[in-house]
Amino acid sequence: MLHRRALALAALALGLAAAPAARGAAPAAPLRVVTTSTDLQSLVEAVGGARVEVESLAPALHDPHAVEVKPAQIARLRQAALLVRIGLDHEPWLPKALAVAGEPRFARGGAGDVDASRGVRLMQAETPRLRADARPHMHGLGNTHYWLDPENARPMTATILEALARASPPDRAQFEANRRRFLERLGAGLERWQRALAPWRGTRVVVVHETWPYLAARFGLAIVAAAEPTPGVPPTPAELSALITRMRASKVRLVLAEPYSSPELLRQLAERTGARVVTLVPSVGGDPAATDYIALFDVNVKRLGEALAAP
Ligand SMILES: [Zn+2]
């Protein structure tokens, strides 16, 4: 008798404990995602919405090819379901971080590995850069700054959508709806940016690092030279002099720089050619107004438009 009462009480207690879950009141824990950049973070957030919790390994204002991953980030990586990266040779610092994390699912092609370059048509991929010397360089397989063409957000978010839906199948419809909304905002943005930069199509510019060929191609600017003779390698004095001669001869009026470009190099380019230097924002969060992927282009198009319109 006592025994039966104890069972009944136990059943009651179990029933009470199970009640909130049975009513569906307790939401599933968000999917943890780590990305290698703030741009990828913004795109994962756009598709994942409230169902994801995303952290970027690289800070917003930093050379994306040289990142120091902190122990707290390694800990986050171990708890993550997915790692979304730019791919190719963009993140030479990543293999070391992954070796420390010791999570085989994030190895290339592993279950948690998401290569955002899949489906993106790369620029500068036709002549692989093979160097005999040991100087560090990047872009050996093609230019990896492809997120700076807003059209590339279409294949990138398609890859992200598939990865998120694989990790959380019941949320697929929500992810698809989120992506549709994002692509509508992107389409409106593209019209706005094309309109703003239309008067400057064909303008010749020089870049410091080859961060901007995708942006330049999308909006009709012609990059005539890069100050870095090879991506990631600063120019020698002789190379700099040759560039300056070329810029004067072809009357290049604008240099596109990164927030982490060498101030001394920018000073020399400006002083010796009379060109204006405009520092663009390569990644989300690199300017307080660049709050997400769409706002990143609003900020850059505004800066470009002002620099191009200046006398
Ligand atoms: Zn680069």
Side-chain angles (χ1 to χ4, degrees):
M1 192 67 178
L2 234 166
H3 182 63
R4 200 186 288 170
R5 246 182 75 194
L7 273 179
L9 278 172
L12 187 67
L14 275 174
L16 283 173
R23 284 202 305 268
L31 202 60
R32 289 188 173 181
V33 181
V34 167
T35 64
T36 55
S37 77
T38 52
D39 313 289
L40 290 173
Q41 176 181 1
S42 180
L43 294 178
V44 174
E45 286 169 348
V47 179
R51 290 291 298 118
V52 293
E53 201 177 279
V54 196
E55 182 176 317
S56 165
L57 294 176
L61 275 178
H62 198 82
D63 178 353
H65 301 310
V67 173
E68 187 99 16
V69 180
K70 297 177 187 70
Q73 294 179 305
I74 298 285
R76 296 275 299 194
L77 189 56
R78 288 192 179 119
Q79 295 164 349
L82 300 172
L83 168 66
V84 187
R85 58 189 172 83
I86 293 293
L88 306 151
D89 61 356
H90 189 75
E91 299 114 336
W93 44 272
L94 190 57
K96 192 176 136 206
L98 289 179
V100 176
E103 300 286 342
R105 69 184 185 283
F106 296 137
R108 284 192 178 205
D113 173 49
V114 185
D115 181 349
S117 73
R118 231 176 27 211
V120 172
R121 186 195 289 262
L122 293 176
M123 295 177 75
Q124 302 170 340
E126 54 293 327
T127 47
R129 291 190 170 92
L130 298 173
R131 295 178 64 90
D133 63 44
R135 288 200 292 179
H137 71 286
M138 293 92 187
H139 307 184
L141 306 161
N143 190 300
T144 56
H145 298 267
Y146 57 80
W147 72 91
L148 288 165
D149 176 355
E151 284 286 356
N152 282 340
R154 293 180 208 278
M156 292 170 77
T157 53
T159 299
I160 288 167
L161 166 67
E162 284 311 312
L164 291 179
R166 226 175 20 248
S168 187
D171 292 315
R172 176 180 278 277
Q174 184 61 56
F175 296 148
E176 284 172 349
N178 292 347
R179 178 170 181 259
R180 265 197 305 278
R181 260 199 312 277
F182 169 77
L183 292 181
E184 277 166 24
R185 284 182 64 212
L186 185 78
L190 271 157
E191 279 178 27
R192 186 164 71 239
W193 306 321
Q194 291 285 14
R195 216 173 25 245
L197 294 177
W200 314 107
R201 290 194 80 84
T203 302
R204 284 172 299 181
V205 300
V206 159
V207 296
V208 178
H209 181 74
E210 284 185 356
T211 303
W212 310 107
Y214 292 91
L215 187 88
R218 177 57 53 202
F219 298 112
L221 302 177
I223 297 176
V224 297
E228 290 180 353
T230 298
V233 180
T236 63
E239 285 165 338
L240 183 58
S241 288
L243 172 68
I244 283 164
T245 305
R246 222 178 127 194
M247 283 176 68
R248 284 184 185 144
S250 54
K251 297 190 169 50
V252 173
R253 289 173 46 243
L254 196 63
V255 177
L256 311 186
E258 290 80 38
Y260 38 82
S261 298
S262 153
E264 174 55 23
L265 175 62
L266 298 183
R267 191 187 63 76
Q268 290 216 37
L269 285 173
E271 281 182 6
R272 293 168 66 184
T273 69
R276 181 180 300 269
V277 174
V278 59
T279 299
L280 298 180
V281 185
S283 281
V284 169
D287 178 282
T291 49
D292 67 7
Y293 185 82
I294 306 265
L296 174 68
F297 291 95
D298 281 324
V299 168
N300 281 328
V301 167
K302 181 164 180 281
R303 287 193 188 188
L304 263 177
E306 285 170 359
L308 288 160

